[in-house]
Amino acid sequence: MNKPLLPQNEDDVYTYGNYHKIIEESPVPMYIFDLQTLEFLEVNKAALVQYGYEKAEFLTLLATQIRPKEEVNSLKVAIQDFHHTYYDFGNWKHLRKNGETFFVHIYAHGTIYKGRKAQFVMAIDVDQKVEAQKELLEKNAEIEDILESITDGFYAMNEKWEVTYINKEAERILACKREDLIGRNIWEFFPDVKESAIYAEFERAMQQKVSSHFETLLAPLGVWASISIYPKKDGLSVYFVDITTQQKHTQMIEKQNEQLKKISWLQSHEVRAPLSNILGLIQLLNKDGLPDNEQLEIIKLLNNAATKLDGVVKNISDQANIEE
């Protein structure tokens, strides 16, 4: 059995007097309570300051009275196991005399005090730390909500190329599930991409801590993507947009432009020759006194030129994909 931390009777005061003084003067709030009755048996100055009581007043309380009602059952469950040695009970919500609640981190172990089975407790105020963690969790949740609602695909990687977060739009574009990708090396998950020029951009961003933006075809997925990479302290953040539809539209416009160039060339070269012939022959027909045989020859030439022009027009229609 461990020796009690505080004297069990008046005869032990001399033996434990110095130790008792160390506890009493410690900046760490400490108290002892009876495990059966939950009565407080001892308390140091730091605990009195923390909870807002005078010593005589504090020693009239039960351990349940420095806790909110919702914490009482948890306390009773926690002390059922008697820990002879140091034990970390974690964070608990406690109650000051003025009714204010705050968080403490409890370290404790069982002891015998004045012949009573008791619990020796160190209750360290961690309220600011808990609040800071709560705010951080709320902020992280807010950021996650934003990342889940944006129309861009997004994922983050650490320096080992392991995916640490991926939003639902990225899941859709990459045709994968986040539970299959998070924690995995992205190049092992998409080995074909590592063999492409895309990897060089990611490697440059990771090693040189620079941002990068480019458009590329993700060949294994058949998806055109506009990708933006941003370095962060422990890896990379990647935003990307599926531009497959826009890319197909761009390609269609480029194809139409090529057709227009061909049509323009046909109009400026092949149409001009027969049209010039027709115009010249019409002028000849307008001359007075032109013999009948010459008129017939001019009409024949007009017909040939018109037939050639009609062929050119049909060729232009074919180039423009216009059905007659």
Side-chain angles (χ1 to χ4, degrees), residues 159 204-211 231-236:
E159 293 177 330
R204 184 174 72 88
M206 181 74 83
Q207 298 302 325
Q208 299 180 21
K209 298 297 181 183
V210 295
S211 59
K232 57 190 184 77
K233 183 178 180 181
D234 59 345
L236 298 176

Side-chain angles (χ1 to χ4, degrees), residues 52-65:
Y53 291 95
E54 296 295 329
K55 184 170 184 177
E57 187 180 13
F58 191 89
L59 294 178
T60 65
L61 301 175
L62 301 179
T64 54
Q65 291 178 275

Side-chain angles (χ1 to χ4, degrees), residues 21-170:
K21 185 176 181 180
I22 291 173
I23 294 174
E24 179 67 17
E25 300 296 333
S26 172
V28 178
M30 301 178 186
Y31 54 80
I32 297 175
F33 67 90
D34 187 300
L35 284 170
Q36 295 291 353
T37 66
L38 303 183
E39 296 173 285
F40 285 112
L41 306 176
E42 190 58 78
V43 60
N44 73 352
K45 292 178 181 178
L48 294 173
V49 172
Q50 177 165 279
Y51 292 96
Y53 291 95
E54 296 295 329
K55 184 170 184 177
E57 187 180 13
F58 191 89
L59 294 178
T60 65
L61 301 175
L62 301 179
T64 54
Q65 291 178 275
I66 62 168
R67 292 167 172 80
K69 291 181 179 179
E70 65 269 18
E71 295 277 316
V72 171
N73 286 335
S74 297
L75 166 67
K76 293 178 178 179
V77 171
I79 63 176
Q80 287 178 356
D81 295 328
F82 187 78
H83 298 276
H84 289 281
T85 57
Y86 160 91
Y87 188 79
D88 184 347
F89 284 88
N91 290 345
W92 292 73
K93 188 181 289 186
H94 276 200
L95 193 65
R96 303 189 203 275
K97 181 180 178 179
N98 63 6
E100 177 185 346
T101 59
F102 66 107
F103 283 94
V104 293
H105 198 109
I106 298 295
Y107 300 94
H109 67 74
T111 187
I112 301 298
Y113 180 69
K114 294 184 178 180
R116 301 169 72 171
K117 191 176 181 180
Q119 185 91 312
F120 177 78
V121 179
M122 290 183 290
I124 302 171
D125 186 342
V126 292
D127 199 57
Q128 290 186 351
K129 180 180 179 181
V130 170
E131 285 301 318
Q133 290 174 338
K134 180 181 177 182
E135 290 178 7
L136 180 61
L137 289 174
E138 291 174 350
K139 180 60 68 175
N140 287 342
E142 181 181 345
I143 293 172
E144 185 172 338
D145 285 343
I146 293 171
L147 292 175
E148 287 299 321
S149 64
I150 63 176
T151 56
D152 288 14
F154 172 82
Y155 62 88
M157 297 180 293
N158 61 25
E159 293 177 330
K160 296 179 181 179
W161 301 109
E162 295 167 340
V163 177
T164 56
Y165 180 81
I166 178 172
N167 73 353
K168 62 183 179 182
E169 180 63 9

